[in-house]
Amino acid sequence: MNMKKKIVFLTGAGMSVESGFKTFRGSDGLWENYPVEQVASHEGWERNPDFVNSFYNGLRKKLFGAEPNEGHRLIASLEEKYDVVVVTQNVDNLHEKAGSSHIIHLHGELTKVCSSRDQFDERYVRELTAEHCEVMPGEKAGDGSLLRPFIVFFGESVPMISPAAEEASKADIFVIIGTSLNVYPAAGLVRYCQPGIPIYLIDPEEVPTGGIPNLTHICKGASEGMRALTSIL
């Protein structure tokens, strides 16, 4: 039996737009109409943790009502024929809902909360449910620190970048969807790909690709672009 080819996807905010979920900052430096400094920085958290938690409570409620789009589902369906790894900059769980089984979240997960002393201490990372998706003011993690969103704030380190780079280096095909390729360290992942492998970029906008070789730009949104990619593959 031959080994399945490995496809690695790197997905950004454009992946979830059709699901009505725009979780990452656009060019205006706002996240869902709030300044990023206020709701997604360590300083913002220190200044007003209750405000930050209530912002994510609202976002979480919206996420529990969101459904994956056809693009998410097409990525999941490729697992029948390929070894598929999804590296996502998105904090939503729409890839999970669509049925993808191997997902690396670079920027954290909105459905989880954690210790504010050490957000990656797995003992205190907790998955919230649709029924109980709010963090109350002053609510604490198991280590006695305030519960905070399991989100990598701007300026914090991105520990999942190493496993993501490892997967990119083993890809037979690399696909980028809905990310502007200027949010580092995620944008640097394409540099880990083996020379000569096909790279596809699905984005309705022109994206400065900085001369990435073997790159095919499918100038469409996530679902339409995934339909086009599936027929190419």
Side-chain angles (χ1 to χ4, degrees), residues 4-122:
K4 287 180 175 180
K5 278 189 163 179
K6 183 189 276 282
I7 303 186
V8 176
F9 284 89
L10 170 62
T11 68
M15 185 78 227
S16 299
V17 166
E18 293 165 48
S19 298
F21 206 75
K22 133 176 154 281
T23 49
F24 216 55
R25 57 173 184 180
S27 54
D28 50 10
L30 291 179
W31 194 346
E32 295 277 339
N33 307 320
Y34 286 89
V36 159
E37 295 67 48
Q38 200 176 5
V39 293
S41 74
H42 195 70
E43 296 67 36
W45 166 259
E46 294 280 314
R47 201 174 304 123
N48 196 341
D50 287 347
F51 179 82
V52 173
N53 272 331
S54 88
F55 169 78
Y56 289 96
N57 286 346
L59 212 49
R60 221 174 271 125
K61 279 197 190 122
K62 196 173 152 189
L63 175 58
F64 280 117
E67 287 302 323
N69 58 53
E70 189 190 354
H72 291 107
R73 290 194 293 273
L74 285 170
I75 290 175
S77 72
L78 286 173
E79 291 190 13
E80 288 169 31
K81 294 186 183 152
Y82 296 91
D83 172 10
V84 179
V85 178
V86 178
V87 176
T88 186
Q89 293 166 260
N90 298 338
V91 296
D92 61 53
N93 61 352
L94 297 172
H95 283 297
E96 281 87 344
K97 278 189 182 174
S100 286
S101 54
H102 189 172
I103 304 159
I104 296 173
H105 280 274
L106 292 178
H107 296 151
E109 294 172 71
L110 182 55
T111 55
K112 295 180 178 175
V113 287
C114 60
S115 149
S116 51
R117 190 171 300 145
D118 175 6
Q119 76 218 69
F120 296 102
D121 188 329
E122 286 175 9

